[in-house]
Amino acid sequence: MTAVAFDTYAMVRRLKASGFSEDQAEAITGALKDGRESDLASLATKADLRESEVALRTDLREAEDRLKADLRESEGRLDVKITDLSHRITDLSHRVDLGLAAGRADMRLLEQRMTVKLGALVAAGIGIMIAAFRYLPPAGH
């Protein structure tokens, strides 16, 4: 930063001309000089501001790139999870279909068995009735 010159000798002369003693004028001039130097040292220059701006823009670009990469990675993991879930649902659907088909087959077999048993029971009942009519004496004799 370019410093603006501060003529301490001229300042002491002006203060003395205004009625201050030499010691007072030197003390006031010294205090003003120290204050100016400390204030100027803490001020940011245009170059400092440009450097900060460039650094901030770089940091923002890097953060944006990291966020985009994280987002792509998260989307990839989500796609894998969705695909896996879709496969699981399809597999479960096939299992349910197979279970239903097996249940229907079991029901048909049970139905056939019951039909055969009922037929055998009816045939046995008819046979018992025929035997009873044939071998039992008529009622009243």
Side-chain angles (χ1 to χ4, degrees):
M1 172 171 195
T2 57
V4 177
F6 179 60
D7 188 355
T8 56
Y9 180 68
M11 182 70 168
V12 169
R13 278 190 329 200
R14 283 178 64 193
L15 289 172
K16 281 173 58 176
S18 297
F20 286 93
S21 69
E22 188 166 339
D23 288 340
Q24 289 174 328
E26 286 179 3
I28 292 172
T29 303
L32 286 173
K33 180 181 175 204
D34 291 344
R36 282 181 54 97
E37 287 175 358
S38 67
D39 286 345
L40 292 177
S42 65
L43 293 178
T45 63
K46 287 182 181 180
D48 293 335
L49 292 175
R50 274 190 228 107
E51 286 177 26
S52 295
E53 180 184 6
V54 168
L56 283 172
R57 287 183 187 273
T58 301
D59 289 347
L60 283 172
R61 267 189 246 109
E62 289 172 359
E64 181 182 16
D65 291 343
R66 281 193 308 270
L67 285 172
K68 285 180 180 178
D70 289 347
L71 182 60
R72 282 191 297 271
E73 183 180 329
S74 296
E75 286 174 345
R77 285 195 307 253
L78 185 59
D79 286 343
V80 168
K81 287 181 180 179
I82 289 173
T83 302
D84 182 51
L85 186 58
S86 175
H87 290 307
R88 287 182 182 189
I89 289 171
T90 302
D91 184 49
L92 184 59
S93 174
H94 290 306
R95 287 182 184 188
V96 167
D97 289 344
L98 289 174
L100 287 174
R104 286 186 190 116
D106 288 345
M107 288 299 287
R108 282 191 200 113
L109 182 61
L110 183 61
E111 184 180 334
Q112 288 173 354
R113 285 181 180 171
M114 291 302 291
T115 301
V116 169
K117 287 180 181 179
L118 184 59
L121 188 61
V122 168
I126 291 174
I128 291 172
M129 285 176 58
I130 289 174
F133 287 136
R134 188 170 195 178
Y135 296 111
L136 287 178
H141 283 82

